[in-house]
Amino acid sequence: KNEVEQSPQNLTAQEGEFITINCSYSVGISALHWLQQHPGGGIVSLFMLSSGKKKHGRLIATINIQEKHSSLHITASHPRDSAVYICAVYGNKLVFGAGTILRVKS
Amino acid sequence: EAQVTQNPRYLITVTGKKLTVTCSQNMNHEYMSWYRQDPGLGLRQIYYSMNVEVTDKGDVPEGYKVSRKEKRNFPLILESPSPNQTSLYFCASGDYRIGNTEAFFGQGTRLTVV
């Protein structure tokens, strides 16, 4: 079993829809990243969380340390949100989930 | 501007010809690491470093070397590249102190070994 599991693997949404991507992990961590990678592009760190909730524009990330679970929400999705979203956890090193491929159709 | 800089962005080389991919960060981060990304396998850690002169193997260290002689630089060395090292490589640096967590990734280096 992978230490970091993401779901879904693939997600297609219509523009304007509310989107949720989930991340579960099995190791003790001090921080969790949500990363975004556009096709052929670099990796951008959207959020780093160690507790609670963070919001940036239309993006919201939550983490429940007791349940070892985090969610990334995108409100009012837009085609430019189409990308791969990767969850990564830091215990003494970064461990990555396999990523969620998101496609938002107009 | 806070950033992690990798060079080169693209590299095509031949089997066995030693190469170095450089990584530099300007944020005084203690933690730096290298990853490779392959289709269907996601991101896998090659090596990481918790501080100057402290390096550790990640999940796929075979065929790679690193050094951390100074805090800002963390070069990745392929002494004798082989075609199975064709991949997209990312360097990252981070500050994981409690209450001050941040991390940045380089733009990636696309390496082709023929």
Side-chain angles (χ1 to χ4, degrees):
Chain A
K1 188 177 188 297
N2 293 333
E3 292 174 301
V4 182
E5 297 275 358
Q6 277 186 244
S7 63
Q9 285 185 301
N10 290 279
L11 180 56
T12 300
Q14 206 62 40
E15 184 174 358
E17 285 184 1
F18 181 85
I19 288 164
T20 296
I21 300 171
N22 295 300
C23 175
S24 296
Y25 54 92
S26 58
V27 296
I29 70 168
S30 58
L32 180 145
H33 287 272
W34 281 103
L35 309 171
Q36 181 191 57
Q37 186 177 28
H38 284 283
I43 296 172
V44 174
S45 179
L46 299 172
F47 295 102
M48 284 185 65
L49 298 160
S50 54
S51 64
K53 178 178 174 178
K54 286 190 177 180
K55 185 175 189 292
H56 185 253
R58 296 180 294 104
L59 302 177
I60 303 166
T62 63
I63 188 169
N64 185 318
I65 295 292
Q66 288 73 29
E67 294 185 6
K68 291 189 163 73
H69 181 269
S70 175
S71 293
L72 176 69
H73 305 286
I74 305 175
T75 61
S77 59
H78 189 276
R80 65 175 175 266
D81 296 326
S82 299
V84 178
Y85 292 84
I86 303 168
C87 172
V89 301
Y90 181 81
N92 62 351
K93 62 175 184 176
L94 272 178
V95 180
F96 296 87
T100 295
I101 301 171
L102 171 65
R103 180 175 170 228
V104 181
K105 297 194 288 186
S106 56
Chain B
E1 180 190 353
Q3 61 184 2
V4 175
T5 304
Q6 282 179 239
N7 279 298
R9 292 288 310 279
Y10 302 92
L11 179 59
I12 301 174
T13 190
V14 297
T15 299
K17 185 177 181 183
K18 180 179 178 180
L19 66 92
T20 299
V21 185
T22 63
C23 175
S24 180
Q25 51 100 358
N26 62 0
M27 295 156 283
N28 204 38
H29 287 160
E30 291 182 347
Y31 181 88
M32 296 187 74
S33 56
W34 276 102
Y35 308 91
R36 61 179 289 174
Q37 187 178 37
D38 302 289
L41 297 175
L43 281 154
R44 295 179 292 169
Q45 190 172 54
I46 304 170
Y47 271 95
Y48 64 102
S49 169
M50 300 297 283
N51 212 328
V52 175
E53 301 292 2
V54 179
T55 62
D56 280 295
K57 294 178 181 178
D59 299 315
V60 288
E62 294 77 23
Y64 304 95
K65 283 175 57 177
V66 293
S67 69
R68 189 90 183 273
K69 293 185 171 59
E70 49 190 342
K71 190 178 271 192
R72 65 182 292 119
N73 294 321
F74 191 45
L76 179 70
I77 303 156
L78 284 72
E79 295 269 3
S80 183
S82 62
N84 65 11
Q85 292 178 298
T86 293
S87 187
L88 178 59
Y89 292 86
F90 288 97
C91 176
S93 74
D95 182 348
Y96 290 96
R97 292 172 294 170
I98 300 297
N100 195 38
T101 49
E102 63 175 11
F104 292 85
F105 286 77
Q107 283 296 97
T109 295
R110 189 166 292 279
L111 172 66
T112 302
V113 184
V114 297

Coordinates of all heavy atoms in Angstrom, one line a residue, chain A residues 4-9 11 19-25 29 31-37 42-56 59-64 68-74 83-90 94-102, chain B residues 43 96 101-105:
Chain A
V4 N 0.9 7.4 0.5 CA 0.0 8.5 0.1 C -0.9 8.1 -1.0 O -0.4 7.7 -2.0 CB 0.8 9.8 -0.3 CG1 -0.1 10.9 -0.6 CG2 1.8 10.2 0.8
E5 N -2.2 8.1 -0.7 CA -3.2 7.7 -1.7 C -4.1 8.9 -2.1 O -4.6 9.6 -1.2 CB -4.1 6.6 -1.1 CG -3.4 5.3 -0.8 CD -3.2 4.4 -1.9 OE1 -3.7 4.7 -3.0 OE2 -2.6 3.3 -1.8
Q6 N -4.2 9.1 -3.4 CA -5.1 10.2 -3.8 C -6.3 9.7 -4.6 O -6.2 8.6 -5.2 CB -4.3 11.1 -4.8 CG -3.5 12.1 -4.2 CD -2.9 13.1 -5.2 OE1 -1.7 13.1 -5.3 NE2 -3.7 13.9 -5.9
S7 N -7.4 10.4 -4.5 CA -8.6 10.0 -5.3 C -9.3 11.3 -5.6 O -9.3 12.3 -4.9 CB -9.5 9.1 -4.5 OG -9.9 9.7 -3.3
P8 N -10.0 11.3 -6.8 CA -9.9 10.3 -7.8 C -8.5 10.4 -8.6 O -7.8 11.4 -8.5 CB -11.1 10.6 -8.7 CG -11.2 12.1 -8.6 CD -10.8 12.4 -7.2
Q9 N -8.3 9.4 -9.5 CA -7.1 9.5 -10.3 C -7.3 10.4 -11.5 O -6.4 11.1 -11.9 CB -6.7 8.1 -10.9 CG -6.1 7.2 -9.9 CD -5.7 5.9 -10.6 OE1 -6.5 5.2 -11.1 NE2 -4.4 5.6 -10.5
L11 N -10.4 13.2 -13.2 CA -11.6 13.9 -12.9 C -11.9 14.9 -14.0 O -11.0 15.7 -14.4 CB -11.4 14.7 -11.6 CG -12.6 15.5 -11.1 CD1 -13.8 14.6 -10.9 CD2 -12.2 16.1 -9.7
I19 N -15.2 21.2 -7.1 CA -14.4 20.1 -7.3 C -13.7 19.7 -5.9 O -13.2 20.6 -5.2 CB -13.3 20.3 -8.3 CG1 -13.9 20.4 -9.7 CG2 -12.2 19.3 -8.3 CD1 -13.0 21.0 -10.8
T20 N -13.6 18.4 -5.6 CA -12.9 18.0 -4.4 C -11.9 16.9 -4.8 O -12.3 15.9 -5.5 CB -13.8 17.5 -3.4 OG1 -14.7 18.5 -2.9 CG2 -13.1 16.9 -2.2
I21 N -10.7 17.0 -4.4 CA -9.7 16.0 -4.6 C -9.2 15.6 -3.1 O -9.0 16.4 -2.3 CB -8.5 16.5 -5.4 CG1 -8.9 17.0 -6.8 CG2 -7.4 15.4 -5.5 CD1 -7.9 17.7 -7.5
N22 N -9.1 14.3 -2.9 CA -8.8 13.8 -1.6 C -7.4 13.1 -1.5 O -6.9 12.6 -2.5 CB -9.9 12.7 -1.2 CG -11.2 13.3 -1.1 OD1 -11.4 14.2 -0.2 ND2 -12.2 12.9 -1.9
C23 N -6.9 13.2 -0.3 CA -5.5 12.6 -0.1 C -5.6 12.0 1.3 O -5.9 12.6 2.3 CB -4.5 13.7 -0.1 SG -2.8 13.2 0.3
S24 N -5.2 10.7 1.4 CA -5.0 10.0 2.6 C -3.6 9.5 2.7 O -3.0 9.1 1.7 CB -6.0 8.8 2.7 OG -7.3 9.2 2.7
Y25 N -3.1 9.5 3.9 CA -1.7 9.1 4.2 C -1.6 8.3 5.4 O -2.5 8.3 6.3 CB -0.8 10.3 4.3 CG -1.2 11.4 5.3 CD1 -0.7 11.3 6.6 CD2 -2.1 12.4 5.0 CE1 -1.1 12.2 7.5 CE2 -2.5 13.3 5.9 CZ -2.0 13.2 7.2 OH -2.4 14.1 8.1
I29 N 3.3 12.9 9.9 CA 3.8 14.0 9.1 C 3.9 15.3 9.9 O 3.2 15.4 11.0 CB 3.0 14.2 7.8 CG1 1.6 14.8 8.2 CG2 2.8 13.0 7.0 CD1 0.8 15.4 7.0
A31 N 4.0 18.2 7.8 CA 3.4 19.1 6.8 C 2.9 18.4 5.6 O 3.3 17.3 5.3 CB 4.4 20.2 6.4
L32 N 1.9 18.9 5.0 CA 1.3 18.4 3.7 C 1.2 19.4 2.7 O 0.8 20.6 2.9 CB -0.1 17.8 4.0 CG -0.8 17.1 2.9 CD1 -1.6 15.9 3.4 CD2 -1.7 18.1 2.1
H33 N 1.7 19.1 1.5 CA 1.6 20.0 0.3 C 0.5 19.6 -0.6 O 0.2 18.4 -0.8 CB 2.8 19.8 -0.6 CG 4.1 20.3 -0.1 ND1 4.6 21.6 -0.3 CD2 5.1 19.7 0.6 CE1 5.8 21.7 0.2 NE2 6.1 20.6 0.7
W34 N -0.1 20.6 -1.2 CA -0.9 20.4 -2.4 C -0.1 21.1 -3.5 O 0.2 22.3 -3.4 CB -2.3 20.9 -2.3 CG -3.2 20.0 -1.6 CD1 -3.7 20.1 -0.3 CD2 -3.8 18.8 -2.1 NE1 -4.5 19.1 0.0 CE2 -4.6 18.2 -1.1 CE3 -3.7 18.1 -3.4 CZ2 -5.3 17.1 -1.3 CZ3 -4.4 17.0 -3.5 CH2 -5.2 16.4 -2.5
L35 N 0.2 20.4 -4.6 CA 1.0 20.9 -5.7 C 0.2 20.9 -7.0 O -0.7 20.0 -7.1 CB 2.3 20.0 -5.9 CG 3.1 19.7 -4.7 CD1 4.2 18.6 -5.0 CD2 3.8 21.0 -4.2
Q36 N 0.5 21.8 -7.9 CA -0.1 21.8 -9.2 C 0.9 21.7 -10.3 O 2.0 22.4 -10.2 CB -0.9 23.1 -9.3 CG -1.6 23.3 -10.6 CD -2.1 24.7 -10.8 OE1 -1.4 25.7 -10.8 NE2 -3.4 24.9 -11.0
Q37 N 0.6 20.9 -11.3 CA 1.5 20.8 -12.4 C 0.8 20.8 -13.7 O -0.1 20.0 -14.0 CB 2.3 19.5 -12.3 CG 3.4 19.4 -13.4 CD 4.2 18.1 -13.3 OE1 3.7 17.1 -12.7 NE2 5.5 18.1 -13.7
G42 N 6.3 23.3 -14.9 CA 6.9 23.0 -13.6 C 5.9 22.7 -12.5 O 4.7 22.7 -12.8
I43 N 6.4 22.6 -11.3 CA 5.5 22.3 -10.2 C 5.4 23.5 -9.3 O 6.4 24.1 -9.0 CB 6.1 21.1 -9.4 CG1 6.1 19.8 -10.2 CG2 5.3 20.9 -8.1 CD1 6.8 18.7 -9.6
V44 N 4.2 23.8 -8.9 CA 3.9 25.0 -8.1 C 3.3 24.4 -6.8 O 2.4 23.6 -6.8 CB 3.0 26.0 -8.7 CG1 2.6 27.1 -7.8 CG2 3.6 26.5 -10.0
S45 N 3.8 24.9 -5.7 CA 3.2 24.6 -4.4 C 2.0 25.5 -4.1 O 2.2 26.7 -4.0 CB 4.2 24.7 -3.3 OG 3.7 24.4 -2.0
L46 N 0.8 24.9 -4.1 CA -0.4 25.7 -3.8 C -0.6 26.0 -2.4 O -0.9 27.1 -2.0 CB -1.6 24.9 -4.3 CG -1.7 24.6 -5.8 CD1 -2.8 23.7 -6.1 CD2 -1.8 25.9 -6.7
F47 N -0.4 25.0 -1.6 CA -0.6 25.1 -0.1 C 0.4 24.2 0.6 O 0.8 23.2 0.1 CB -2.0 24.6 0.3 CG -3.1 25.4 -0.2 CD1 -3.9 25.0 -1.2 CD2 -3.5 26.6 0.4 CE1 -5.0 25.7 -1.7 CE2 -4.6 27.4 0.0 CZ -5.3 26.9 -1.1
M48 N 0.8 24.6 1.8 CA 1.4 23.7 2.8 C 0.6 23.8 4.0 O 0.3 25.0 4.5 CB 2.8 24.1 3.0 CG 3.8 23.7 1.9 SD 5.5 24.0 2.3 CE 5.7 22.9 3.6
L49 N 0.2 22.7 4.6 CA -0.7 22.7 5.8 C -0.1 21.8 6.8 O 0.5 20.8 6.5 CB -2.0 22.0 5.4 CG -2.9 22.6 4.4 CD1 -3.9 21.6 3.8 CD2 -3.7 23.8 5.0
S50 N -0.2 22.2 8.1 CA 0.1 21.3 9.2 C -1.2 21.1 10.0 O -1.2 20.2 10.9 CB 1.2 21.8 10.0 OG 1.0 23.1 10.4
S51 N -2.2 22.0 9.9 CA -3.4 21.8 10.6 C -4.5 22.7 10.0 O -4.1 23.7 9.3 CB -3.3 22.2 12.1 OG -2.9 23.6 12.2
G52 N -5.8 22.4 10.2 CA -6.8 23.3 9.9 C -7.1 23.4 8.4 O -7.3 22.5 7.6
K53 N -7.2 24.7 8.0 CA -7.7 25.0 6.7 C -7.0 26.3 6.1 O -6.6 27.1 6.9 CB -9.2 25.3 6.8 CG -10.0 25.8 5.6 CD -11.4 26.0 6.0 CE -12.3 26.5 4.9 NZ -13.7 26.7 5.3
K54 N -6.8 26.3 4.8 CA -6.2 27.5 4.2 C -7.0 27.7 2.9 O -7.5 26.8 2.3 CB -4.7 27.3 3.8 CG -3.8 27.3 5.0 CD -2.3 27.3 4.6 CE -1.4 27.4 5.8 NZ 0.0 27.5 5.3
K55 N -7.1 29.0 2.6 CA -7.9 29.5 1.4 C -7.0 30.4 0.6 O -6.4 31.3 1.2 CB -9.2 30.1 1.8 CG -10.1 30.5 0.7 CD -11.4 31.0 1.3 CE -12.5 31.2 0.2 NZ -12.2 32.3 -0.7
H56 N -7.0 30.2 -0.7 CA -6.3 31.2 -1.6 C -7.2 31.3 -2.8 O -7.2 30.4 -3.7 CB -4.9 30.7 -1.9 CG -4.1 31.7 -2.7 ND1 -3.9 31.5 -4.0 CD2 -3.6 32.8 -2.4 CE1 -3.2 32.5 -4.5 NE2 -3.0 33.4 -3.5
L59 N -9.4 28.4 -4.3 CA -8.8 27.1 -3.7 C -8.9 27.1 -2.2 O -8.6 28.1 -1.6 CB -7.4 27.0 -4.2 CG -7.1 27.0 -5.7 CD1 -5.6 26.8 -5.9 CD2 -7.8 25.8 -6.4
I60 N -9.3 25.9 -1.7 CA -9.4 25.7 -0.3 C -8.8 24.4 0.0 O -9.1 23.4 -0.7 CB -10.9 25.7 0.2 CG1 -11.6 27.0 -0.2 CG2 -10.9 25.5 1.7 CD1 -13.1 26.9 0.0
A61 N -7.9 24.3 1.0 CA -7.3 23.1 1.4 C -7.6 22.9 2.9 O -7.5 23.8 3.7 CB -5.8 23.1 1.2
T62 N -7.9 21.6 3.3 CA -8.2 21.3 4.6 C -7.4 20.0 5.0 O -7.0 19.2 4.1 CB -9.7 21.0 4.9 OG1 -10.0 19.8 4.1 CG2 -10.6 22.1 4.5
I63 N -7.1 19.9 6.3 CA -6.4 18.7 6.7 C -6.9 18.3 8.1 O -7.3 19.2 8.9 CB -4.9 19.0 6.8 CG1 -4.1 17.7 7.1 CG2 -4.5 20.0 7.8 CD1 -2.6 17.8 6.9
N64 N -7.1 17.0 8.3 CA -7.5 16.4 9.5 C -6.4 15.5 10.0 O -6.2 14.4 9.4 CB -8.8 15.6 9.4 CG -9.3 15.1 10.7 OD1 -8.6 14.6 11.5 ND2 -10.6 15.2 10.9
K68 N -5.7 11.6 9.3 CA -4.7 11.4 8.3 C -5.3 11.6 6.9 O -5.1 10.8 6.0 CB -3.9 10.1 8.3 CG -3.1 9.9 9.6 CD -2.2 8.7 9.5 CE -1.1 8.7 10.4 NZ -1.4 8.5 11.8
H69 N -6.0 12.8 6.7 CA -6.7 13.0 5.5 C -6.7 14.5 5.2 O -6.8 15.3 6.1 CB -8.2 12.5 5.6 CG -9.0 12.7 4.4 ND1 -9.7 13.9 4.2 CD2 -9.2 11.9 3.3 CE1 -10.3 13.7 3.0 NE2 -10.0 12.6 2.5
S70 N -6.6 14.8 3.9 CA -6.6 16.2 3.4 C -7.5 16.3 2.2 O -7.6 15.3 1.4 CB -5.2 16.7 3.1 OG -5.3 18.0 2.6
S71 N -8.1 17.4 2.0 CA -8.9 17.6 0.8 C -8.5 19.0 0.1 O -8.2 19.9 0.9 CB -10.4 17.7 1.1 OG -10.9 16.4 1.5
L72 N -8.5 19.0 -1.2 CA -8.3 20.2 -1.9 C -9.6 20.5 -2.7 O -10.1 19.6 -3.4 CB -7.2 20.1 -2.9 CG -7.0 21.3 -3.9 CD1 -6.4 22.5 -3.1 CD2 -6.0 20.9 -5.0
H73 N -10.2 21.7 -2.4 CA -11.5 22.1 -3.1 C -11.2 23.2 -4.1 O -10.4 24.1 -3.8 CB -12.5 22.5 -2.1 CG -12.7 21.5 -1.0 ND1 -13.5 20.4 -1.2 CD2 -12.4 21.6 0.3 CE1 -13.5 19.7 0.0 NE2 -12.9 20.4 0.9
I74 N -11.9 23.1 -5.2 CA -11.8 24.2 -6.2 C -13.2 24.7 -6.4 O -14.1 23.9 -6.8 CB -11.2 23.8 -7.5 CG1 -9.8 23.2 -7.3 CG2 -11.1 25.0 -8.5 CD1 -9.2 22.7 -8.6
A83 N -5.1 20.6 -14.8 CA -3.7 20.3 -14.4 C -3.7 19.0 -13.7 O -4.7 18.4 -13.4 CB -3.2 21.5 -13.6
V84 N -2.5 18.6 -13.3 CA -2.3 17.5 -12.4 C -2.1 18.1 -11.0 O -1.3 19.0 -10.8 CB -1.1 16.6 -12.7 CG1 -1.0 15.5 -11.7 CG2 -1.3 16.0 -14.1
Y85 N -2.9 17.6 -10.0 CA -2.8 18.0 -8.6 C -2.2 16.9 -7.8 O -2.7 15.7 -7.9 CB -4.2 18.4 -8.1 CG -4.7 19.7 -8.8 CD1 -5.3 19.6 -10.0 CD2 -4.4 20.9 -8.2 CE1 -5.8 20.7 -10.7 CE2 -4.9 22.1 -8.9 CZ -5.5 22.0 -10.1 OH -5.9 23.1 -10.8
I86 N -1.2 17.2 -7.1 CA -0.4 16.2 -6.4 C -0.4 16.5 -4.9 O -0.1 17.7 -4.5 CB 1.1 16.1 -6.9 CG1 1.1 15.9 -8.4 CG2 1.9 15.1 -6.2 CD1 2.4 16.1 -9.1
C87 N -0.6 15.5 -4.1 CA -0.5 15.6 -2.6 C 0.8 15.1 -2.2 O 1.3 14.0 -2.7 CB -1.6 14.8 -2.0 SG -1.5 14.6 -0.2
A88 N 1.5 15.8 -1.4 CA 2.8 15.3 -0.9 C 2.9 15.5 0.6 O 2.5 16.6 1.1 CB 4.0 16.0 -1.6
V89 N 3.4 14.6 1.4 CA 3.5 14.7 2.8 C 5.0 14.7 3.2 O 5.8 14.1 2.6 CB 2.8 13.6 3.6 CG1 1.3 13.6 3.2 CG2 3.4 12.2 3.3
Y90 N 5.3 15.5 4.3 CA 6.6 15.6 4.8 C 6.7 15.0 6.2 O 6.0 15.6 7.1 CB 7.1 17.0 4.8 CG 8.5 17.2 5.3 CD1 9.6 16.9 4.4 CD2 8.8 17.6 6.6 CE1 10.9 17.1 4.9 CE2 10.1 17.7 7.0 CZ 11.1 17.4 6.2 OH 12.4 17.6 6.6
L94 N 9.9 14.2 1.7 CA 8.7 14.3 1.0 C 8.3 13.0 0.3 O 9.1 12.3 -0.3 CB 8.8 15.4 -0.1 CG 8.5 16.8 0.2 CD1 8.8 17.7 -1.0 CD2 7.1 17.0 0.7
V95 N 7.0 12.6 0.5 CA 6.5 11.4 -0.2 C 5.3 11.9 -1.0 O 4.4 12.6 -0.4 CB 6.1 10.3 0.9 CG1 5.5 9.1 0.1 CG2 7.3 9.9 1.7
F96 N 5.2 11.5 -2.2 CA 4.2 12.0 -3.1 C 3.1 11.0 -3.4 O 3.3 9.8 -3.5 CB 4.8 12.4 -4.5 CG 5.8 13.5 -4.4 CD1 7.1 13.2 -4.1 CD2 5.4 14.8 -4.6 CE1 8.1 14.2 -4.1 CE2 6.4 15.8 -4.5 CZ 7.7 15.5 -4.2
G97 N 1.9 11.5 -3.6 CA 0.8 10.7 -4.2 C 1.0 10.6 -5.7 O 1.8 11.3 -6.2
A98 N 0.2 9.8 -6.3 CA 0.3 9.6 -7.7 C -0.3 10.7 -8.6 O 0.0 10.8 -9.8 CB -0.4 8.3 -8.1
G99 N -1.0 11.6 -7.9 CA -1.6 12.7 -8.7 C -3.0 12.5 -9.1 O -3.4 11.4 -9.4
T100 N -3.7 13.6 -9.3 CA -5.1 13.6 -9.9 C -5.1 14.4 -11.1 O -4.7 15.6 -11.1 CB -6.1 14.1 -8.9 OG1 -6.2 13.3 -7.7 CG2 -7.5 14.3 -9.5
I101 N -5.5 13.8 -12.2 CA -5.5 14.6 -13.5 C -6.9 15.2 -13.6 O -7.9 14.5 -13.7 CB -5.3 13.7 -14.7 CG1 -3.9 13.0 -14.6 CG2 -5.4 14.5 -16.0 CD1 -3.7 11.9 -15.6
L102 N -6.9 16.5 -13.6 CA -8.2 17.3 -13.6 C -8.3 17.9 -15.0 O -7.4 18.6 -15.4 CB -8.2 18.4 -12.5 CG -9.4 19.4 -12.6 CD1 -10.7 18.6 -12.4 CD2 -9.2 20.5 -11.6
Chain B
L43 N 6.2 11.1 -9.1 CA 7.4 11.7 -8.6 C 8.1 10.7 -7.7 O 7.5 10.3 -6.7 CB 7.1 13.0 -7.9 CG 6.9 14.2 -8.8 CD1 6.0 15.2 -8.2 CD2 8.2 14.8 -9.3
Y96 N 11.0 23.4 6.8 CA 9.9 22.6 7.5 C 9.9 22.9 9.0 O 9.4 22.1 9.7 CB 10.1 21.1 7.1 CG 9.8 20.8 5.7 CD1 10.7 20.8 4.7 CD2 8.4 20.7 5.3 CE1 10.4 20.5 3.4 CE2 8.1 20.4 4.0 CZ 9.1 20.4 3.1 OH 8.8 20.1 1.8
T101 N 6.6 26.6 7.5 CA 6.8 25.7 6.4 C 6.5 26.3 5.1 O 5.6 27.1 4.9 CB 5.8 24.5 6.5 OG1 4.5 25.0 6.7 CG2 6.2 23.6 7.7
E102 N 7.5 26.1 4.1 CA 7.3 26.5 2.8 C 8.2 25.6 1.9 O 9.1 25.0 2.4 CB 7.7 28.0 2.6 CG 9.2 28.2 2.9 CD 9.6 29.7 2.6 OE1 8.8 30.5 2.3 OE2 10.8 29.9 2.6
A103 N 7.9 25.5 0.6 CA 8.6 24.7 -0.3 C 8.5 25.3 -1.7 O 7.5 25.8 -2.1 CB 8.2 23.3 -0.2
F104 N 9.6 25.1 -2.4 CA 9.6 25.6 -3.8 C 10.3 24.5 -4.7 O 11.2 23.8 -4.3 CB 10.4 26.9 -3.9 CG 9.8 28.1 -3.2 CD1 10.0 28.3 -1.8 CD2 9.0 29.0 -3.9 CE1 9.4 29.3 -1.2 CE2 8.4 30.0 -3.2 CZ 8.6 30.2 -1.9
F105 N 9.8 24.5 -5.9 CA 10.3 23.5 -6.9 C 11.0 24.3 -8.0 O 10.5 25.4 -8.4 CB 9.2 22.7 -7.4 CG 8.7 21.6 -6.5 CD1 7.8 22.0 -5.4 CD2 9.1 20.3 -6.6 CE1 7.4 21.0 -4.5 CE2 8.6 19.4 -5.7 CZ 7.8 19.7 -4.7

